[in-house]
Amino acid sequence: MTRVLVVEDEPQIVRALRINLRARGYEVDAAPDGRAALDLAARRHPDVILLDLGLPDMDGTEVIRGLRGWLTVPIIVLSARHASAEKVRALDEGADDYVTKPFGMDELLARLRAAVRRAAPAEEAAVVSTEAFTVDLAAKKVRRDGADVRLTPTEWHILEVLVRDAGRLVGQRQLLREVWGPAYEKETNYLRVYLAQLRRKLEPDPARPRHLITEPGMGYRFEP
Amino acid sequence: MTRVLVVEDEPQIVRALRINLRARGYEVDAAPDGRAALDLAARRHPDVILLDLGLPDMDGTEVIRGLRGWLTVPIIVLSARHASAEKVRALDEGADDYVTKPFGMDELLARLRAAVRRAAPAEEAAVVSTEAFTVDLAAKKVRRDGADVRLTPTEWHILEVLVRDAGRLVGQRQLLREVWGPAYEKETNYLRVYLAQLRRKLEPDPARPRHLITEPGMGYRFEP
DNA sequence: ACGGATCTTGACGCGGTCTTGACGCCGCTA
DNA sequence: TAGCGGCGTCAAGACCGCGTCAAGATCCGT
């Protein structure tokens, strides 16, 4: 299911969007200000973000900057400002689209579909195998010795990030950002705990990992 | 250089777009109708397409359908129609964005930049090779004789700086600053220790280095 | 409201990494 | 030729990061 994060301070608009999006089968989170937006973006991992520029606590382009750099999901800006300078700034800051209020709901939904469609084709080659286990990115499943392995949401998310960049080193900072959000960049002990759990569940010999490898001082690497 | 295909039958608009795009360093092809558009799209491999919906020979959505399916480059639709049904149709047909005429040139250019940026995750394989070993900057990996070489964070950091400026001399001061920080600009003995370790791990004959070369009194140089 | 699963947090020991100092060699210069 | 500065080498101790474990906090569905 596609998850949408709505960042908007006017309750009426939030309500209208929530109803329309829910009716089309989207899952909806809502944030009334920039702080909550950054927080929810990290915790809920939306597939697309609808962002109002007129927030009470911070400037809209600031929010965009705060999201970009660690998030690549599409950002569609909603704004009452028609000034083209405003549009140019938002788009160059990293927004994917800019819709002026008042907007037509059907047009907004169409632009949202277009944005999601563009970002979607990551569902290729969704199966990565090793001698010990098999990861299916699309189905979100891991098989080992012919049986499904049960992973917690966080465990899965870490594994997903590592497998997506198979063979490449993923810095601990990057890993923490993508899984827990930018505020957790220093909590390296989280990684130690969860990598240990993943190894216990996936590696034939957890003490001597062959696929989930630690590069001391730098990060972790998934080796197919 | 980014190549733009402009599909538009009004010569004035074509001319305005061509001038503005050329001035920004884009390469411009122009097609006056749908047939020419499909032809040029195939022959010239544009990076982005600006498509007017009001073409003389075929309907705009037909052109989109004709392009999609074998082309994945961003399509930005230009149209005089403000009707939202029209926008929805174009976007669902595969267009990436929809701009209504008359449009502001700076806004159009911003949307074009956004479209190109999205489609551009072209990660160049940052791999540098020598006769003795291979350095993969992206994966943070070093291979030698078919086996991975284990480097410590500091070792890797030094090698990275040297390889990034392959063939060029890197002053010891610069090297110390980039790896240890400005406060360590005088600790040249660090370099001696670590360069020796790197040579021991990478050079066929560490006593007579062929790739990690010392320029006495000045700095170090990586020779591919 | 309850119970189980999941996430957070802290402490500890160990191994590897970094830092630091000493020594000898070489090339340059006086 | 003697002195000097820069470089390579080595080894030892300090230090840091990792794996591990377990207890508390929190979330979730029943």
Side-chain angles (χ1 to χ4, degrees), chain B residues 49-195:
Chain B
I49 298 177
L50 293 179
L51 173 64
D52 177 36
L53 282 191
L55 295 176
D57 61 339
M58 52 204 306
D59 184 51
T61 57
E62 259 185 90
V63 182
I64 296 177
R65 268 200 299 275
L67 291 167
R68 282 280 175 263
W70 64 278
L71 247 197
T72 59
V73 303
I75 299 175
I76 300 177
V77 167
L78 306 174
S79 170
R81 308 269 192 94
H82 284 66
S84 85
E86 198 73 28
K87 300 185 190 180
V88 171
R89 200 146 62 94
L91 289 168
D92 281 340
E93 212 64 75
D96 289 75
D97 204 343
Y98 190 106
V99 181
T100 54
K101 294 199 266 192
F103 50 81
M105 185 56 72
D106 51 353
E107 178 186 341
L108 177 65
L109 289 170
R111 287 186 181 273
L112 190 136
R113 283 194 295 274
V116 171
R117 165 172 24 97
R118 271 195 305 266
E123 291 208 25
E124 83 270 18
V127 181
V128 180
S129 296
T130 73
E131 308 138 19
F133 56 92
T134 300
V135 182
D136 186 331
L137 276 314
K140 289 208 191 329
K141 255 185 166 180
V142 181
R143 293 191 75 96
R144 184 194 170 181
D145 302 330
D148 286 0
V149 180
R150 260 189 61 70
L151 295 185
T152 71
T154 308
E155 287 166 5
W156 170 261
H157 203 173
I158 291 173
L159 183 63
E160 189 177 25
V161 172
L162 290 176
V163 168
R164 249 196 294 122
D165 280 322
R168 289 211 293 277
L169 175 78
V170 180
Q172 7 197 25
R173 241 176 254 161
Q174 183 189 345
L175 202 46
L176 285 163
R177 213 182 322 123
E178 291 207 40
V179 177
W180 279 274
Y184 293 74
E185 281 189 356
K186 306 210 146 184
E187 307 284 337
T188 60
N189 46 332
Y190 287 11
L191 296 179
R192 295 207 295 277
V193 171
Y194 277 97
L195 262 293

Side-chain angles (χ1 to χ4, degrees), chain A residues 150 152-154 180 187 189-190 192-194:
Chain A
R150 214 182 127 57
T152 72
T154 307
W180 280 274
E187 306 286 337
N189 46 332
Y190 288 12
R192 296 207 294 275
V193 171
Y194 277 96

